[in-house]
Amino acid sequence: MNTIKERKPEESLHGQEVTVVISGCDTGDARMVFDALRAAFTTDRASVDVPRKLAERRPTAWVATVDVTEERVISGPVALGAPVKIDVQGGYWAVERLRRSLAHAFDVRVVGTVSGDQEEEVRLRLESHRSHRDSGSR
């Protein structure tokens, strides 16, 4: 049984956008995730907009809106210093497309979901691909 909802031709642009929130990780790892997203899709986050910590005592969250209409191929695995959890929210088809695309760069595991009528929110755990971690390279 196929549980992935396919995109309908009449689906609005809003249904093709996914909001991505990254928090609780190193700024370098956040940048690697945003770089991978930019490589795969159009985002509202420019390459010069690098994640920075604004306060040491409060958690920092970095946000991007990703348009998954046109998908490009991510060239290969991306090394992270530590696992990164991201929250993604959007239409079912759009969230699944983003998840599958990120799987070209990272080991991706779904660690939580909240489903709505037309949208879902999914927490993903991203890690360096096993083969990349096992080789000891960065």
Side-chain angles (χ1 to χ4, degrees), residues 32 77-82 127-138:
M32 297 301 276
V78 175
L80 295 171
E127 295 185 49
S128 299
H129 276 295
R130 264 188 239 300
S131 60
H132 205 248
R133 288 191 313 257
D134 294 343
S135 68
S137 59
R138 286 210 163 240

PDB file of all heavy atoms in Angstrom, residues 32 77-82 127-138:
ATOM      1  N   MET A  32      25.445  23.343   6.800  1.00  0.00           N
ATOM      2  CA  MET A  32      25.525  22.189   5.887  1.00  0.00           C
ATOM      3  C   MET A  32      24.132  21.746   5.439  1.00  0.00           C
ATOM      4  O   MET A  32      23.927  21.405   4.276  1.00  0.00           O
ATOM      5  CB  MET A  32      26.261  21.026   6.561  1.00  0.00           C
ATOM      6  CG  MET A  32      27.701  21.341   6.915  1.00  0.00           C
ATOM      7  SD  MET A  32      28.694  21.809   5.498  1.00  0.00           S
ATOM      8  CE  MET A  32      29.161  20.225   4.896  1.00  0.00           C
ATOM      9  N   PRO A  77      26.982  12.620  -0.398  1.00  0.00           N
ATOM     10  CA  PRO A  77      26.853  12.710   1.055  1.00  0.00           C
ATOM     11  C   PRO A  77      27.462  13.988   1.624  1.00  0.00           C
ATOM     12  O   PRO A  77      28.428  14.521   1.096  1.00  0.00           O
ATOM     13  CB  PRO A  77      27.628  11.495   1.561  1.00  0.00           C
ATOM     14  CG  PRO A  77      27.796  10.599   0.395  1.00  0.00           C
ATOM     15  CD  PRO A  77      27.751  11.459  -0.821  1.00  0.00           C
ATOM     16  N   VAL A  78      26.862  14.446   2.717  1.00  0.00           N
ATOM     17  CA  VAL A  78      27.323  15.634   3.420  1.00  0.00           C
ATOM     18  C   VAL A  78      27.701  15.211   4.834  1.00  0.00           C
ATOM     19  O   VAL A  78      26.936  14.503   5.497  1.00  0.00           O
ATOM     20  CB  VAL A  78      26.220  16.711   3.461  1.00  0.00           C
ATOM     21  CG1 VAL A  78      26.644  17.893   4.301  1.00  0.00           C
ATOM     22  CG2 VAL A  78      25.858  17.152   2.047  1.00  0.00           C
ATOM     23  N   ALA A  79      28.871  15.641   5.306  1.00  0.00           N
ATOM     24  CA  ALA A  79      29.338  15.291   6.646  1.00  0.00           C
ATOM     25  C   ALA A  79      28.820  16.284   7.677  1.00  0.00           C
ATOM     26  O   ALA A  79      28.930  17.488   7.491  1.00  0.00           O
ATOM     27  CB  ALA A  79      30.860  15.248   6.679  1.00  0.00           C
ATOM     28  N   LEU A  80      28.246  15.756   8.730  1.00  0.00           N
ATOM     29  CA  LEU A  80      27.795  16.572   9.862  1.00  0.00           C
ATOM     30  C   LEU A  80      28.666  16.241  11.067  1.00  0.00           C
ATOM     31  O   LEU A  80      29.069  15.088  11.243  1.00  0.00           O
ATOM     32  CB  LEU A  80      26.333  16.271  10.198  1.00  0.00           C
ATOM     33  CG  LEU A  80      25.292  16.641   9.151  1.00  0.00           C
ATOM     34  CD1 LEU A  80      23.926  16.090   9.543  1.00  0.00           C
ATOM     35  CD2 LEU A  80      25.236  18.146   8.976  1.00  0.00           C
ATOM     36  N   GLY A  81      28.883  17.226  11.928  1.00  0.00           N
ATOM     37  CA  GLY A  81      29.653  16.991  13.144  1.00  0.00           C
ATOM     38  C   GLY A  81      28.867  16.182  14.164  1.00  0.00           C
ATOM     39  O   GLY A  81      29.431  15.436  14.955  1.00  0.00           O
ATOM     40  N   ALA A  82      27.551  16.331  14.147  1.00  0.00           N
ATOM     41  CA  ALA A  82      26.651  15.631  15.066  1.00  0.00           C
ATOM     42  C   ALA A  82      25.286  15.535  14.391  1.00  0.00           C
ATOM     43  O   ALA A  82      25.004  16.279  13.454  1.00  0.00           O
ATOM     44  CB  ALA A  82      26.543  16.397  16.380  1.00  0.00           C
ATOM     45  N   GLU A 127      21.758  12.555   9.871  1.00  0.00           N
ATOM     46  CA  GLU A 127      23.113  12.166  10.252  1.00  0.00           C
ATOM     47  C   GLU A 127      23.928  11.990   8.983  1.00  0.00           C
ATOM     48  O   GLU A 127      23.371  11.785   7.899  1.00  0.00           O
ATOM     49  CB  GLU A 127      23.102  10.845  11.022  1.00  0.00           C
ATOM     50  CG  GLU A 127      22.402  10.903  12.351  1.00  0.00           C
ATOM     51  CD  GLU A 127      22.526   9.596  13.118  1.00  0.00           C
ATOM     52  OE1 GLU A 127      23.658   9.080  13.235  1.00  0.00           O
ATOM     53  OE2 GLU A 127      21.495   9.091  13.589  1.00  0.00           O
ATOM     54  N   SER A 128      25.237  12.008   9.124  1.00  0.00           N
ATOM     55  CA  SER A 128      26.093  11.689   7.983  1.00  0.00           C
ATOM     56  C   SER A 128      25.775  10.260   7.559  1.00  0.00           C
ATOM     57  O   SER A 128      25.469   9.408   8.394  1.00  0.00           O
ATOM     58  CB  SER A 128      27.571  11.783   8.380  1.00  0.00           C
ATOM     59  OG  SER A 128      27.883  13.085   8.808  1.00  0.00           O
ATOM     60  N   HIS A 129      25.850  10.004   6.226  1.00  0.00           N
ATOM     61  CA  HIS A 129      25.624   8.641   5.743  1.00  0.00           C
ATOM     62  C   HIS A 129      26.561   7.691   6.468  1.00  0.00           C
ATOM     63  O   HIS A 129      27.713   8.028   6.734  1.00  0.00           O
ATOM     64  CB  HIS A 129      25.873   8.547   4.229  1.00  0.00           C
ATOM     65  CG  HIS A 129      24.698   8.957   3.402  1.00  0.00           C
ATOM     66  ND1 HIS A 129      23.508   8.266   3.409  1.00  0.00           N
ATOM     67  CD2 HIS A 129      24.537   9.984   2.541  1.00  0.00           C
ATOM     68  CE1 HIS A 129      22.661   8.852   2.581  1.00  0.00           C
ATOM     69  NE2 HIS A 129      23.257   9.902   2.046  1.00  0.00           N
ATOM     70  N   ARG A 130      26.082   6.513   6.767  1.00  0.00           N
ATOM     71  CA  ARG A 130      26.886   5.513   7.483  1.00  0.00           C
ATOM     72  C   ARG A 130      28.235   5.277   6.819  1.00  0.00           C
ATOM     73  O   ARG A 130      29.242   5.258   7.489  1.00  0.00           O
ATOM     74  CB  ARG A 130      26.131   4.182   7.558  1.00  0.00           C
ATOM     75  CG  ARG A 130      25.396   4.003   8.821  1.00  0.00           C
ATOM     76  CD  ARG A 130      24.830   2.603   8.908  1.00  0.00           C
ATOM     77  NE  ARG A 130      23.395   2.575   9.039  1.00  0.00           N
ATOM     78  CZ  ARG A 130      22.704   3.112  10.015  1.00  0.00           C
ATOM     79  NH1 ARG A 130      23.320   3.757  10.957  1.00  0.00           N
ATOM     80  NH2 ARG A 130      21.416   3.033  10.063  1.00  0.00           N
ATOM     81  N   SER A 131      28.238   5.089   5.520  1.00  0.00           N
ATOM     82  CA  SER A 131      29.498   4.819   4.823  1.00  0.00           C
ATOM     83  C   SER A 131      30.459   5.996   4.980  1.00  0.00           C
ATOM     84  O   SER A 131      31.656   5.820   5.073  1.00  0.00           O
ATOM     85  CB  SER A 131      29.243   4.539   3.344  1.00  0.00           C
ATOM     86  OG  SER A 131      28.615   5.648   2.737  1.00  0.00           O
ATOM     87  N   HIS A 132      29.922   7.205   5.049  1.00  0.00           N
ATOM     88  CA  HIS A 132      30.751   8.401   5.225  1.00  0.00           C
ATOM     89  C   HIS A 132      31.303   8.460   6.646  1.00  0.00           C
ATOM     90  O   HIS A 132      32.451   8.808   6.860  1.00  0.00           O
ATOM     91  CB  HIS A 132      29.914   9.642   4.908  1.00  0.00           C
ATOM     92  CG  HIS A 132      30.732  10.807   4.484  1.00  0.00           C
ATOM     93  ND1 HIS A 132      30.843  11.928   5.258  1.00  0.00           N
ATOM     94  CD2 HIS A 132      31.504  11.005   3.388  1.00  0.00           C
ATOM     95  CE1 HIS A 132      31.639  12.789   4.653  1.00  0.00           C
ATOM     96  NE2 HIS A 132      32.046  12.269   3.528  1.00  0.00           N
ATOM     97  N   ARG A 133      30.468   8.081   7.643  1.00  0.00           N
ATOM     98  CA  ARG A 133      30.920   8.066   9.043  1.00  0.00           C
ATOM     99  C   ARG A 133      31.939   6.967   9.263  1.00  0.00           C
ATOM    100  O   ARG A 133      32.919   7.149   9.951  1.00  0.00           O
ATOM    101  CB  ARG A 133      29.735   7.851   9.992  1.00  0.00           C
ATOM    102  CG  ARG A 133      28.823   9.034  10.113  1.00  0.00           C
ATOM    103  CD  ARG A 133      27.843   8.850  11.260  1.00  0.00           C
ATOM    104  NE  ARG A 133      27.209   7.559  11.292  1.00  0.00           N
ATOM    105  CZ  ARG A 133      25.985   7.297  10.910  1.00  0.00           C
ATOM    106  NH1 ARG A 133      25.238   8.235  10.413  1.00  0.00           N
ATOM    107  NH2 ARG A 133      25.476   6.083  11.020  1.00  0.00           N
ATOM    108  N   ASP A 134      31.680   5.790   8.691  1.00  0.00           N
ATOM    109  CA  ASP A 134      32.553   4.636   8.915  1.00  0.00           C
ATOM    110  C   ASP A 134      33.939   4.850   8.323  1.00  0.00           C
ATOM    111  O   ASP A 134      34.914   4.313   8.829  1.00  0.00           O
ATOM    112  CB  ASP A 134      31.941   3.356   8.334  1.00  0.00           C
ATOM    113  CG  ASP A 134      30.661   2.959   9.060  1.00  0.00           C
ATOM    114  OD1 ASP A 134      30.430   3.470  10.188  1.00  0.00           O
ATOM    115  OD2 ASP A 134      29.889   2.163   8.511  1.00  0.00           O
ATOM    116  N   SER A 135      34.026   5.642   7.247  1.00  0.00           N
ATOM    117  CA  SER A 135      35.322   5.859   6.617  1.00  0.00           C
ATOM    118  C   SER A 135      36.167   6.849   7.416  1.00  0.00           C
ATOM    119  O   SER A 135      37.354   6.998   7.162  1.00  0.00           O
ATOM    120  CB  SER A 135      35.140   6.378   5.185  1.00  0.00           C
ATOM    121  OG  SER A 135      34.611   7.683   5.206  1.00  0.00           O
ATOM    122  N   GLY A 136      35.535   7.538   8.370  1.00  0.00           N
ATOM    123  CA  GLY A 136      36.262   8.484   9.198  1.00  0.00           C
ATOM    124  C   GLY A 136      36.540   9.807   8.529  1.00  0.00           C
ATOM    125  O   GLY A 136      37.220  10.653   9.057  1.00  0.00           O
ATOM    126  N   SER A 137      35.982  10.014   7.317  1.00  0.00           N
ATOM    127  CA  SER A 137      36.243  11.259   6.616  1.00  0.00           C
ATOM    128  C   SER A 137      35.229  12.319   7.009  1.00  0.00           C
ATOM    129  O   SER A 137      34.158  12.021   7.483  1.00  0.00           O
ATOM    130  CB  SER A 137      36.192  11.034   5.103  1.00  0.00           C
ATOM    131  OG  SER A 137      34.929  10.539   4.734  1.00  0.00           O
ATOM    132  N   ARG A 138      35.583  13.557   6.786  1.00  0.00           N
ATOM    133  CA  ARG A 138      34.682  14.691   7.061  1.00  0.00           C
ATOM    134  C   ARG A 138      34.507  15.496   5.840  1.00  0.00           C
ATOM    135  O   ARG A 138      35.263  15.765   5.059  1.00  0.00           O
ATOM    136  CB  ARG A 138      35.242  15.565   8.169  1.00  0.00           C
ATOM    137  CG  ARG A 138      35.082  14.876   9.474  1.00  0.00           C
ATOM    138  CD  ARG A 138      34.924  15.943  10.547  1.00  0.00           C
ATOM    139  NE  ARG A 138      34.387  15.301  11.693  1.00  0.00           N
ATOM    140  CZ  ARG A 138      33.250  15.602  12.252  1.00  0.00           C
ATOM    141  NH1 ARG A 138      32.493  16.524  11.796  1.00  0.00           N
ATOM    142  NH2 ARG A 138      32.840  15.005  13.322  1.00  0.00           N
TER     143      ARG A 138
END
